[in-house]
Amino acid sequence: MLPSRLPARVRRALRASAVLLLAVAATLAPASAAQAQGPSSGWNDYTCRPSSAHPRPVVLVHGTFGNSVDNWLALAPYLVRRGYCVFSLDYGQLPGVPFFHGLGPIEKSAEQLDAYVDKVLAATGAAEADLVGHSQGGMMPRHYLKFLGGADKVNALIGLAPDNHGTTLHGLTKLLPYFPGAANLLSEKTPALADQIAGSPFLTKLNAGGDTVPGVRYTVIATKYEEVVTPYQSQYLDGPGVRNVLLQDLCPLDFSEHVAIGLFDRIAYHEVVNALDPAHAKPTTCASVVG
């Protein structure tokens, strides 16, 4: 159960709007789910075989309240067009809660990621995968790498606005306007929200003894306009093989915040490609939006 940290008036307002928001979600969810992620869309194609230029499949890990389709409608095709085999999973599902995922206990979500990476590697014949995650999806894989043997199967982890050192419950509630129907979940059992609060037992265990594990390259891509995981520097990692990137150092005109950096920021996507293939990296600038 989540800690009771929201003021009573906020909880009442969220409950009052839940019925209307759920009605909107009910109309949106079927349309979103109908957008196939199979071979016709270019990603989640289990016949894809990595090329010599891009020898590792890319696994996309959605964020809190996200899912395997909607979080990646822009980035997945972007990577496919550049020759990558791309896959995405759903994780952290709660019973009776469709469409909105990433809400279950994060340790269990990491076990789902473990099984999914094994599935992708078996299908593609690759020895390792690269992971790209947004928000919780950039942090949760660190549990997989550190405690579930994932470091032997993963070459790189790239986090878009990951909450590596947690956030506040108030910060997580700022995601709600982007996900109609999600507000009522705050009054339900949502272990992932509790796990992501700064100082939680989950994060204390995750970050004890260092942020990274040997053999994995880490990239964090952050924005100074972050409003969910604050301060934005709390997203950064320390350790060997780490590169922390601030979008505005690359393009001062990039005004993306927490959601936009994952959903449609092509400047961030250009930097993702650089992190996937550092040997052929090209400078990321404001002009990268048209690349």
Side-chain angles (χ1 to χ4, degrees):
M1 181 68 70
L2 275 175
S4 180
R5 298 188 182 183
L6 284 175
R9 64 181 184 277
V10 175
R11 294 199 298 272
R12 287 194 296 270
L14 289 175
R15 292 191 187 103
S17 62
V19 173
L20 175 60
L21 293 175
L22 281 172
V24 174
T27 63
L28 291 178
S32 298
Q35 302 193 46
Q37 325 101 273
S40 62
S41 66
W43 99 87
N44 281 346
D45 176 3
Y46 287 90
T47 68
C48 187
R49 295 295 177 267
S51 65
S52 57
H54 304 305
R56 292 174 299 275
V58 177
V59 174
L60 303 178
V61 190
H62 65 75
T64 306
F65 299 123
N67 60 62
S68 63
V69 181
D70 286 29
N71 215 138
W72 307 119
L73 289 173
L75 180 57
Y78 182 94
L79 294 175
V80 168
R81 289 194 299 271
R82 283 154 180 79
Y84 290 90
C85 291
V86 180
F87 301 85
S88 62
L89 78 156
D90 285 306
Y91 71 87
Q93 301 93 330
L94 290 180
V97 181
F99 185 60
F100 302 113
H101 302 316
L103 297 171
I106 296 182
E107 289 188 1
K108 295 296 184 182
S109 294
E111 292 175 5
Q112 291 178 275
L113 176 62
D114 184 9
Y116 190 79
V117 170
D118 285 349
K119 177 182 176 180
V120 168
L121 294 180
T124 60
E128 291 183 313
D130 290 322
L131 308 181
V132 180
H134 179 215
S135 193
Q136 180 192 162
M139 174 272 289
M140 175 271 280
R142 293 178 49 225
H143 182 89
Y144 162 58
L145 299 177
K146 193 169 188 177
F147 300 112
L148 302 178
D152 293 333
K153 307 171 189 177
V154 172
N155 169 71
L157 169 61
I158 302 160
L160 294 160
D163 51 347
N164 281 315
H165 296 95
T167 182
T168 63
L169 182 57
H170 179 61
L172 289 167
T173 65
K174 292 181 180 179
L175 286 170
L176 296 177
Y178 298 98
F179 301 96
N184 67 310
L185 295 177
L186 286 177
S187 61
E188 303 297 331
K189 295 180 179 179
T190 49
L193 298 187
D195 284 345
Q196 291 176 83
I197 295 173
S200 71
F202 171 80
L203 286 170
T204 299
K205 176 183 175 182
L206 177 64
N207 293 314
D211 293 345
T212 64
V213 295
V216 179
R217 291 188 295 105
Y218 296 82
T219 302
V220 172
I221 303 174
T223 170
K224 72 177 183 180
Y225 299 109
E226 176 68 49
E227 83 284 26
V228 175
V229 185
T230 56
Y232 68 82
Q233 295 92 337
S234 68
Q235 301 172 25
Y236 291 164
L237 296 171
D238 291 319
V242 170
R243 182 168 183 256
N244 295 311
V245 179
L246 184 65
L247 279 182
Q248 287 71 34
D249 288 341
L250 307 175
C251 175
L253 300 178
D254 191 325
F255 298 105
S256 289
E257 40 61 69
H258 182 84
V259 174
I261 193 175
L263 267 58
F264 54 77
D265 189 325
R266 289 173 66 90
I267 295 172
Y269 293 175
H270 190 273
E271 196 60 22
V272 166
V273 170
N274 281 346
L276 290 172
D277 187 9
H280 299 95
K282 299 178 181 178
T284 299
T285 67
C286 294
S288 298
V289 72
V290 297

